[in-house]
């Protein structure tokens, strides 16, 4: 068949299976996060959260999904229909694509690009379009303002995100995520690259516009921001896209700063899940604890504080790497 | 420079402290009451389901004066008056539409005989709205409610049911206005 | 890799055509973004993944966002779309179009005559080699680009500066206010 041998076909089938398995695992994890976040927020606000549907309320996810599937999928008559429909697909697409280069264990992972990290940055920079186009196509003042804020916020924080990662890249000598993990066998990057870790955490939070950087969807000012006009499964895609973003940033922190699957005794996958799960919970804790900054505060914090720290970090790391070589 | 460093330190430490304090809430007691299994404490004067109470003697307190119906801001009470052979007033029907009722308690305040009272019970959900309309038989309870020992006719100066004028508690003999003697 | 290259190239050309002919400005920008993404795929197919990633990050992900940002602020509506469409009448573009096609033909013939021996094989060039090249033979160009960017930065800082009256104006105004009160 097509001049391929049996071994090659088996290889292709295995890769396809692995890809689909990772895709499903990631999307299911993101869907479960809806429940995890609500339970954790409950814990930190001295209440229980959803605990009625199924054991510990875990079937709340299924209930929410069923509800959202059966909601009316309404497109406002004044909206730009094509763009309105495309917008939520973009955020799902870019975030899921970014998972392609994340190495989960020594063997599990879709692809090892030699520009893995750049690929993730590229995908996250394309993710801006989802929000900005949703805001524009809704033809709604709140949505447009939300889209505007997102554009400025995400473009700015992408800069610091990229710069903070340069230190990691310098230490590993490669953009390949797998090489970056393997370079941390002696010492996790969190120790030599602590400033970069802090910047990446903050910028990552802003990049997926999670609280405290959820200005694009600040309820008090913008009703629901860019997704004000969205309903049904289109809103659901934004919703799940946000959780996918949390999972992605948590995986990236794990891979880049906490040695990915590296760890004693337990198998690699368990270590990866534990580390990533910890950061998912941390993002929820951030949402529970912190207040939303004003828009100008967000911008000046980024450009006046994070940018200089990131640049100094890159310079020092570069100097040390050259001196050690 | 020192000032900026101070500001930066203050900002960072306050954010970290907030996160820490929020995390410590993990170990606090939950404030939620798991309602159907665990009943909440309702104070005795909680304004819930409305009842009609009885005298300590067991007779109805309501005298069908319609003051509750007048006081009701949403007009959910309807009373029809009747009399027994001794001249005592009774409500023939006493109907409260609980789908209109806002549980404000004005009826209770307006009632001169303490007949209508609000009780600490809120579990009144129905699937059919018609079932929210309570008739007298649904409202009337066999107790005295929040006013034990109070009996309107025993303290009121009205001649009714074998009790003549001047026979009520703490009531003086009626004055004969046709005589000039003290 | 050749299939990827030609597919992406056709997509890029088609999308760019739509950029010109699309009456709605935001839709035109979306086609432009698609075109840039297709160019990124072309780079990748040619064995330059680094350039492909930068194309997406810088052009599609940052510069085009600013374009969309500005166009969104301009408040285009059905009326402007209609006007744009009226400007696309064939009698306006037929002449330049024909002349452009002639030039394209000339370029095609000229390029077809050259036998460069280059072919598409997709051998990747890694980031280290690019770095060595940029700060080796091409260091002057990099520095010149840096100069241009620095100049742009200075201009932006100047334009974005808060407007404050000069000191002598301020003192005069204060004196006047003092006299008034």
């Amino acid at each position: 068949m097509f001049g391929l041998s049996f071994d090659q076909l088996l290889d292709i089938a295995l890769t396809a299976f692995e890809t689909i398995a990772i895709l499903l695992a990631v999307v299911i994890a993101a869907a479960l996060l809806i429940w995890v976040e609500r339970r954790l927020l409950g814990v930190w606000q001295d209440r229980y959260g959803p605990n009625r549907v199924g054991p510990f309320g875990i079937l709340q996810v299924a209930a929410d999904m069923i509800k959202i599937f059966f909601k009316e999928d309404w497109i406002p008559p004044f909206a730009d229909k094509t763009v309105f429909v495309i917008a939520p697909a973009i955020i799902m697409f870019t975030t899921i694509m970014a998972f392609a280069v994340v190495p989960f264990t020594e063997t599990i992972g879709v692809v090892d690009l030699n520009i893995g990290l750049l690929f993730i940055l590229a995908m996250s920079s394309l993710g801006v379009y989802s929000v900005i186009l949703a805001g524009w196509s809704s033809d709604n003042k709140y949505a447009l303002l939300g889209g505007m804020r997102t554009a400025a916020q995400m473009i700015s924080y992408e800069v610091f995100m990229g710069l903070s990662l340069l230190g990691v890249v310098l230490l590993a000598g490669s953009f390949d995520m797998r090489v970056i993990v393997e370079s941390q066998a002696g010492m996790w990057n969190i120790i030599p690259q602590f400033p970069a870790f802090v910047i990446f955490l903050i910028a990552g939070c802003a990049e997926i516009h999670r609280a405290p950087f959820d200005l694009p969807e600040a309820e008090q000012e913008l009703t629901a921001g860019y997704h004000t006009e969205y309903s049904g499964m289109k809103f659901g895609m934004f919703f799940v896209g946000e959780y996918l973003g949390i999972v992605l940033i948590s995986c990236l922190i794990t891979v880049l700063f906490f040695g990915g699957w590296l760890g004693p005794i337990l198998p690699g996958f368990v270590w990866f899940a534990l580390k990533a799960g910890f950061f998912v919970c941390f993002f929820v804790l951030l949402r529970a604890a912190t207040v939303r900054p004003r828009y100008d505060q967000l911008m000046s914090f980024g450009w006046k504080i994070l940018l200089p720290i990131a640049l100094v970090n890159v310079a020092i790391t570069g100097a040390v790497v050259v001196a050690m070589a | 420079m020192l000032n900026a460093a101070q500001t930066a330190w203050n900002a960072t430490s306050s954010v970290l402290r907030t996160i820490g304090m929020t995390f410590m809430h993990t170990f606090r007691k939950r404030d939620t009451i798991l309602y159907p299994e665990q009943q909440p404490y309702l104070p005795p004067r909680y304004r819930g389901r409305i009842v009609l109470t009885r005298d300590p003697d067991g007779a109805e307190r309501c005298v069908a004066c319609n003051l509750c119906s007048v006081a009701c801001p949403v007009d959910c009470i309807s009373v029809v008056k009747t009399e027994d052979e001794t001249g005592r007033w009774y409500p023939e029907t006493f109907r409260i539409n609980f789908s209109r009722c806002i549980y404000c308690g004005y009826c209770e305040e307006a009632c001169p005989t303490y007949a209508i009272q609000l009780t600490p019970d809120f579990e009144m959900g129905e699937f059919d709205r018609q079932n929210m309309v309570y008739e007298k038989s649904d409202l009337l309870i066999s107790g005295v409610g929040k006013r034990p020992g109070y009996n309107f006719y025993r303290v009121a100066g009205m001649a009714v049911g074998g009790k003549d004028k001047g026979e009520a508690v703490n009531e003086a003999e009626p004055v004969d206005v046709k005589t000039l003697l003290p | 890799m050749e299939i990827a290259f030609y597919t992406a190239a056709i997509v890029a050309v088609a999308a760019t055509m739509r950029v010109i002919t699309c009456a709605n400005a935001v839709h035109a920008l979306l086609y432009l973004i698609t075109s840039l993404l297709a160019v990124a795929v072309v780079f990748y197919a040619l064995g330059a993944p680094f350039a492909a990633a930068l194309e997406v990050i810088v052009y599609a992900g940052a510069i085009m966002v600013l374009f969309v940002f500005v166009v969104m602020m301009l408040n285009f509506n059905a009326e402007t779309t209609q006007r744009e469409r009226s400007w696309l009448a064939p009698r306006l573009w037929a002449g330049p179009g024909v002349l452009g096609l002639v030039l394209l033909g000339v370029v095609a013939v000229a390029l077809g005559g050259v036998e460069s021996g280059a072919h598409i094989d997709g051998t990747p060039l890694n980031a280290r080699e690019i770095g060595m090249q940029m700060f080796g033979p091409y260091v002057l160009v990099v520095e010149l680009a840096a100069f241009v960017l620095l100049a742009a930065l200075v201009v932006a800082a100047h334009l974005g500066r808060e407007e404050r009256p000069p000191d002598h104006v301020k003192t005069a105004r204060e004196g006047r206010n003092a006299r008034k009160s």
Side-chain angles (χ1 to χ4, degrees), chain A residues 18-78:
Chain A
E18 195 183 355
T19 310
I20 291 168
I22 289 175
L23 188 69
L24 278 180
V26 160
V27 173
I28 289 172
L32 268 184
L33 255 184
I34 299 171
W35 170 76
V36 169
E37 170 162 53
R38 289 176 64 186
R39 278 313 293 260
L40 283 179
L41 280 180
V43 163
W44 288 316
Q45 292 168 357
D46 291 351
R47 47 191 186 87
Y48 291 102
N51 61 351
R52 295 279 158 176
V53 195
F56 303 105
I58 201 161
L59 291 180
Q60 186 71 42
V61 177
D64 283 351
M65 278 291 159
I66 292 168
K67 182 197 78 173
I68 217 161
F69 267 116
F70 284 96
K71 276 197 170 185
E72 186 186 357
D73 205 0
W74 188 68
I75 300 175
F78 44 80

Side-chain angles (χ1 to χ4, degrees), chain A residues 80 82-83 113-115 118-119 121-123 125-126 128-129 132-133 135-136 144 147-148 151-152 155 158 173 175, chain C residues 24 26-27 30 33 37 44 49-50 53-54 56-57 59-62 64-66 68-69 72-73 124-128:
Chain A
D80 191 319
T82 328
V83 182
L113 280 182
N114 57 355
I115 50 154
L118 286 175
F119 182 78
L121 286 177
M123 283 303 132
S125 70
L126 285 183
V128 187
Y129 284 114
I132 197 170
L133 291 177
W136 175 77
L144 188 64
M148 294 285 160
I155 292 184
E158 237 169 65
F175 285 106
Chain C
N24 187 319
V26 172
H27 291 180
L30 286 181
I33 294 159
L37 291 180
Y44 194 87
F50 193 79
L54 286 190
V56 176
I57 295 174
Y59 286 95
M64 290 316 293
V65 171
L66 294 180
V68 175
F69 193 97
M72 275 162 59
M73 304 282 263
L125 191 67
N126 65 24
R128 189 185 302 270

Side-chain angles (χ1 to χ4, degrees), chain C residues 13-34:
Chain C
V13 172
T16 313
M17 290 294 284
R18 283 297 286 150
V19 176
I20 302 164
T21 54
C22 206
N24 187 319
V26 172
H27 291 180
L29 279 176
L30 286 181
Y31 278 113
L32 187 51
I33 294 159
T34 316

